[in-house]
Amino acid sequence: MKKVLALLLASVMTLSLVACGGGNSGQSTEAPQSTATPASTAAPEGSQEATNAEPGAYDPASAGDITLTFNWWTNQKRTEVTTAACEYITSLYPNVKFELVPGSWGDYWTQMSVQASSNDLPDIMQQDYAYIAEFVKNGYLLDLTPYIENGMVKVDTIPENTLVTGMVDGGNYALCAGVNAPSTLYNKTLTDELGIEVPDNITWDQFVEISKKIYDEKGIKTLYSFSNSENQQLFYTRSLGYKDFFSNETGVTCTVDELAVFYQRILDGIAEGWMLDYDAIQANGTEIDTHPMFAQDLPEYSVWNAMQWSNQLAALQKAASTKGIEVGITTWPADDVTKANFLKSSQFFSVTRDAQDKDLACFVLNLLINDVEVNKLLMAERGVPAPTDVAAATMDVVAAEDPTYPLVVEFLNKCTANSSPIFEPNPAWSGDLRNGAIQDTHNAVLKTKPTMTAQEAAQAVVDQAKKLADENK
Amino acid sequence: MRRKRIIGTIIYHILVAIGAFVMIYPLLWMVFSSFKPTQTIFATASQMIPTEWTLDNYITGWKGLQRYTFGTFFANSFIIAMGATIGTLLSSSVVAYALQRLNFGLKKVLFACVLSTMMLPAQILMIPQYLWFSNLGWVGTYYPMILPYWFAVQGFFVYLIMNFIGGIPKELDEAAKIDGCSYYGIFARIILPLVVPSLITCAIFSFIWRWDDFLSALLYVRSVKMYPVAMALKTFTDPTSSSDYGAMFAMSTLSLVPITIIFLIFQKSLVEGIASSGIKG
């Protein structure tokens, strides 16, 4: 009997120690706190929390020992920084452990849809702008609005234009994990050598002029629009004053004649020789490591620019450095860049419907977005942090590791001043158009002997889009 | 005449060697690339032999993901491949024996069922299987990747062993029966020792297929610590960012080692198994 009592007492004491330690560290985001610090006598469990309570305060220790699953698509750097950040969170809140599951982009979405079908989504998942609407429609994501209202998830330093990108029908389903903007990354070593100044907010005419000059002097070509991506069609359409390229009503927003101008530009570029044709793109691909920008020993396959996103500058510069190339950054070309340009979330974090402890998941989500120390560990790998105060506070640490970072931040600041609200999330049928008419027309006009006129290409895209939109009404 | 034949042989061997080299070139390219410094791999893609040899890729690659080294992933792959292979061998040989030697009702129908599993693409079964395993609560475990193979689900192996058993003279069975063997005794004492070559063939194929199996790992494995090699390798690449191809090639090369060793050891039995089952079947 004595033994049992002793055991009982011992376990009560240990329990209360853990509870105190956890409760205490819950208020601080500074240094990891030892669970043993407030080891006074066996204080009643409630007291510690009561003294620390403030409106909206949440004590993660109340969740007990828990392992949160966190899935994201990854590259090696992202795996490292995210693991470090989550280990740091565990060191702050020892009862919160993580099951981290990085995967590659394509497999990630297979995995997530499979897990969704068996009600087995992770607690926290990385999200993409293209998928949010679909996931919300299926009820897979948690609406964060109540947690924003009670102060558990802070969004007051996130710019309005960024915050709305994670909203669907008035609900907040995803928070921006890093800001991004479309960017033309270019071989600055080459343009400097030729005495070319690549301007900010580059217009189409300037872009053509530079491309021609480089082609005339070096035989090096230009990459513009290709493959099953509508990015440049979108950018062109936006420069005309439309907000979107896709439309659920009419298929695409612009008219056939307007879109024909876009295709005529490609046909002209191919005819004049400065634009890289389909066969050359196919032969080399456009993956970062083997980008045709680095194929200078083969001028007919090489280009001076890459149509990418600002968070890819670091990776491209890393690959470029092995060739002794410095990479510059400007916007995608358009007649009116301010109308066309937009800021995008490179990716989001969401709490899912299947989260075991939704309060705790939101608490951790808030740390990932707003905590300065956590973001110092995340190294802005996903893009510049969305909350302006966090972006400023992490600047030096990230810049020390990644020399291109100040350039990206400066570029994004310029974009903020020179951009319009982002387009609506793509409709579900957009993938069919992308793999259908968009790809076919690109393949047809990017040939030295084109098989379509600009008018035909534009008509083909408009027709298929209309058909798809009608079918999906 | 003799000279002519020698010249013919030489030409034949040169052509075959060229063909073999073309076939194996991608593999050699990967192996040699894994010894190049990672940033020079694509810059020097046209040149196979590295100018500068390094083991860095193996060292960084072995570190793996999070705190799990590739040692963990190799162990996982071994557990899956061995578990499934042992199950396949046991169950397939029993089923093959029954279908070949015993007489029972619906034998023809059951045989047709076995054959039809060979003709059905695995992708068709994927969704119903997933739902089933999910309801059983097996998702996130290795059960879906091991246990089904203990029920002779691969018709190919059953068929292979059946043909092989067909080549064993029935007189041996009868002799054993006269000496007092039951059906089980015949199987264990007569059939099993004689079908070893075909079992080895099955073992090699099964092991290689399970070792390379990426899709079921993608569907059923939920944590990094349970990743098999195929899945861990995939996380090295990201087309939208820079990937550590050096480390990926290094680990891909290592992942070929177990299969190659198994193949080399059992190669003789493999050829024998295929050849004799082909002739006698």
Side-chain angles (χ1 to χ4, degrees):
Chain A
M1 195 60 213
K2 254 188 183 172
K3 256 187 188 167
V4 177
L5 198 73
L7 257 174
L8 208 76
L9 273 175
S11 57
V12 166
M13 280 186 60
T14 347
L15 264 177
S16 59
L17 281 185
V18 171
C20 295
N24 200 15
S25 59
Q27 297 304 315
S28 150
T29 46
E30 290 302 318
Q33 303 238 343
S34 153
T35 46
T37 23
S40 51
T41 47
E45 270 188 47
S47 68
Q48 199 77 24
E49 279 172 40
T51 49
N52 286 336
E54 54 179 77
Y58 167 75
D59 178 11
S62 67
D65 276 326
I66 190 165
T67 302
L68 295 179
T69 338
F70 178 14
N71 284 50
W72 71 94
W73 67 90
T74 200
N75 55 52
Q76 245 189 334
K77 177 90 191 291
R78 192 172 302 161
T79 309
E80 279 164 27
V81 295
T82 316
T83 308
C86 290
E87 277 170 359
Y88 171 75
I89 294 177
T90 303
S91 75
L92 291 181
Y93 310 107
N95 62 318
V96 182
K97 306 255 178 350
F98 287 93
E99 178 71 62
L100 304 173
V101 195
S104 61
W105 163 263
D107 303 330
Y108 178 79
W109 294 107
T110 317
Q111 237 168 352
M112 286 306 105
S113 44
V114 164
Q115 291 186 213
S117 72
S118 54
N119 296 335
D120 194 18
L121 283 167
D123 297 85
I124 300 174
M125 71 178 288
Q126 196 167 293
Q127 263 293 353
D128 184 77
Y129 194 57
Y131 286 82
I132 292 178
E134 190 188 328
F135 269 64
V136 171
K137 199 178 92 193
N138 290 322
Y140 296 158
L141 302 182
L142 183 74
D143 186 358
L144 302 168
T145 314
Y147 297 91
I148 293 172
E149 280 163 4
N150 75 12
M152 247 177 81
V153 177
K154 292 188 192 64
V155 295
D156 29 302
T157 51
I158 300 178
E160 184 66 22
N161 265 352
T162 310
L163 192 62
V164 295
T165 56
M167 289 174 80
V168 181
D169 299 334
N172 291 277
Y173 292 94
L175 291 183
C176 172
V179 182
N180 221 351
S183 36
T184 305
L185 306 178
Y186 61 92
N187 185 339
K188 193 162 187 302
T189 312
L190 178 74
T191 51
D192 284 353
E193 183 196 325
L194 295 176
I196 298 170
E197 171 90 28
V198 181
D200 291 334
N201 300 323
I202 186 169
T203 65
W204 175 254
D205 292 336
Q206 288 168 328
F207 184 74
V208 173
E209 193 188 324
I210 292 170
S211 298
K212 276 185 179 163
K213 185 155 189 229
I214 291 173
Y215 180 65
D216 288 344
E217 299 204 11
K218 291 277 181 181
I220 291 172
K221 298 187 180 181
T222 301
L223 210 53
Y224 180 49
S225 189
F226 56 89
S227 181
N228 59 345
S229 157
E230 79 290 2
N231 283 338
Q232 296 305 335
Q233 280 93 332
L234 168 76
F235 209 69
Y236 166 77
T237 319
R238 280 173 61 91
S239 79
L240 300 177
Y242 298 100
K243 188 176 169 212
D244 296 280
F245 175 62
F246 298 115
S247 152
N248 267 321
E249 297 305 312
T250 53
V252 295
T253 49
C254 61
T255 65
V256 175
D257 289 341
E258 284 168 333
L259 195 56
V261 175
F262 171 84
Y263 283 102
Q264 193 57 49
R265 288 176 172 180
I266 297 180
L267 286 168
D268 291 346
I270 295 284
E272 289 159 11
W274 53 266
M275 198 181 281
L276 196 68
D277 65 39
Y278 175 80
D279 294 330
I281 297 172
Q282 283 303 104
N284 207 334
T286 53
E287 293 195 2
I288 296 270
D289 286 282
T290 54
H291 200 276
M293 212 157 124
F294 313 132
Q296 286 179 325
D297 31 346
L298 301 162
E300 69 273 28
Y301 286 112
S302 74
V303 295
W304 66 279
N305 69 327
M307 296 309 210
Q308 301 286 353
W309 300 88
S310 55
N311 69 330
Q312 290 170 323
L313 176 63
L316 199 75
Q317 178 64 68
K318 197 174 146 215
S321 297
T322 63
K323 294 270 189 177
I325 295 172
E326 191 196 338
V327 182
I329 184 169
T330 186
T331 49
W332 286 346
D335 297 324
D336 186 338
V337 173
T338 308
K339 274 188 199 159
N341 207 9
F342 53 89
L343 291 176
K344 185 179 185 272
S345 302
S346 63
Q347 46 213 256
F348 300 82
F349 292 135
S350 289
V351 174
T352 72
R353 145 200 89 172
D354 301 330
Q356 326 152 50
D357 185 325
K358 300 201 165 63
D359 293 348
L360 182 71
C362 289
F363 178 80
V364 171
L365 178 75
N366 184 53
L367 292 180
L368 289 171
I369 300 289
N370 284 311
D371 190 279
V372 171
E373 295 305 317
V374 169
N375 274 282
K376 278 181 185 169
L377 292 166
L378 287 173
M379 297 297 298
E381 195 281 326
R382 289 179 168 82
V384 179
T388 45
D389 53 336
V390 179
T394 51
M395 178 76 185
D396 292 343
V397 181
V398 181
E401 180 91 351
D402 168 14
T404 63
Y405 188 62
L407 196 60
V408 175
V409 175
E410 190 199 328
F411 174 72
L412 285 174
N413 284 339
K414 280 185 206 156
C415 287
T416 316
N418 271 306
S419 60
S420 304
I422 193 172
F423 50 94
E424 296 293 319
N426 295 329
W429 49 267
S430 61
D432 292 338
L433 187 67
R434 213 170 281 138
N435 296 323
I438 301 252
Q439 177 155 351
D440 296 343
T441 51
H442 271 140
N443 295 354
V445 296
L446 277 164
K447 293 267 168 61
T448 37
K449 291 198 181 87
T451 52
M452 268 183 181
T453 65
Q455 203 70 26
E456 284 165 0
Q459 191 73 50
V461 171
V462 170
D463 286 350
Q464 197 190 5
K466 177 94 179 91
K467 193 166 149 253
L468 287 167
D470 285 343
E471 280 168 8
N472 284 280
K473 260 178 196 154
Chain B
M1 198 58 210
R2 194 181 143 80
R3 240 185 89 175
K4 216 173 172 185
R5 198 186 297 160
I6 290 175
I7 292 172
T9 319
I10 290 172
I11 293 175
Y12 167 78
H13 277 96
I14 289 175
L15 287 178
V16 168
I18 292 173
F21 182 74
V22 169
M23 292 295 188
I24 206 172
Y25 179 80
L27 198 65
L28 290 179
W29 185 85
M30 182 187 84
V31 173
F32 282 113
S33 292
S34 73
F35 292 104
K36 291 177 182 174
T38 183
Q39 68 276 12
T40 67
I41 288 178
F42 288 106
T44 62
S46 52
Q47 145 202 7
M48 194 166 79
I49 312 288
T51 34
E52 186 190 335
W53 293 75
T54 171
L55 282 174
D56 286 354
N57 293 327
Y58 286 86
I59 296 163
T60 52
W62 189 260
K63 284 188 199 140
L65 293 168
Q66 295 170 24
R67 283 174 309 282
Y68 306 107
T69 64
F70 255 82
T72 313
F73 305 139
F74 272 99
N76 292 340
S77 275
F78 260 109
I79 293 169
I80 297 168
M82 288 306 286
T85 300
I86 292 171
T88 292
L89 291 187
L90 289 177
S91 58
S92 301
S93 55
V94 173
V95 171
Y97 169 65
L99 286 176
Q100 181 64 257
R101 284 291 206 252
L102 308 185
N103 282 313
F104 51 91
L106 293 181
K107 180 172 155 180
K108 290 244 165 68
V109 178
L110 287 173
F111 181 58
C113 287
V114 168
L115 285 187
S116 67
T117 63
M118 286 167 69
M119 304 174 187
L120 212 55
Q123 285 77 359
I124 290 182
L125 296 172
M126 200 177 301
I127 293 170
Q129 262 178 358
Y130 179 84
L131 294 176
W132 193 353
F133 292 140
S134 162
N135 283 336
L136 285 172
W138 284 6
V139 168
T141 70
Y142 287 151
Y143 295 148
M145 296 150 79
I146 295 176
L147 285 188
Y149 297 102
W150 287 73
F151 295 90
V153 289
Q154 285 172 303
F156 173 71
F157 294 138
V158 175
Y159 192 65
L160 193 83
I161 300 172
M162 265 181 76
N163 279 344
F164 210 88
I165 296 176
I168 300 169
K170 271 221 168 102
E171 287 75 13
L172 292 177
D173 293 31
E174 284 157 8
K177 208 170 183 180
I178 292 167
D179 286 346
C181 271
S182 64
Y183 287 126
Y184 301 100
I186 296 173
F187 175 71
R189 288 161 200 264
I190 309 292
I191 303 293
L192 209 51
L194 286 174
V195 294
V196 167
S198 78
L199 288 182
I200 290 175
T201 312
C202 294
I204 293 172
F205 277 120
S206 166
F207 191 88
I208 293 175
W209 289 346
R210 289 312 113 214
W211 184 269
D212 290 347
D213 185 14
F214 170 76
L215 197 61
S216 43
L218 178 69
L219 290 177
Y220 297 115
V221 172
R222 289 294 157 79
S223 65
V224 173
K225 107 173 153 261
M226 290 174 70
Y227 274 13
V229 173
M231 196 134 162
L233 282 177
K234 193 79 195 289
T235 56
F236 274 111
T237 54
D238 173 18
T240 63
S241 177
S242 70
S243 312
D244 193 343
Y245 283 101
M248 185 179 76
F249 289 154
M251 290 305 107
S252 303
T253 305
L254 283 189
S255 81
L256 292 179
V257 171
I259 304 183
T260 314
I261 290 175
I262 287 177
F263 194 83
L264 287 180
I265 293 175
F266 295 111
Q267 189 196 22
K268 228 182 123 200
S269 329
L270 176 71
V271 175
E272 193 181 312
I274 291 176
S276 43
S277 70
I279 293 164
K280 292 169 190 167

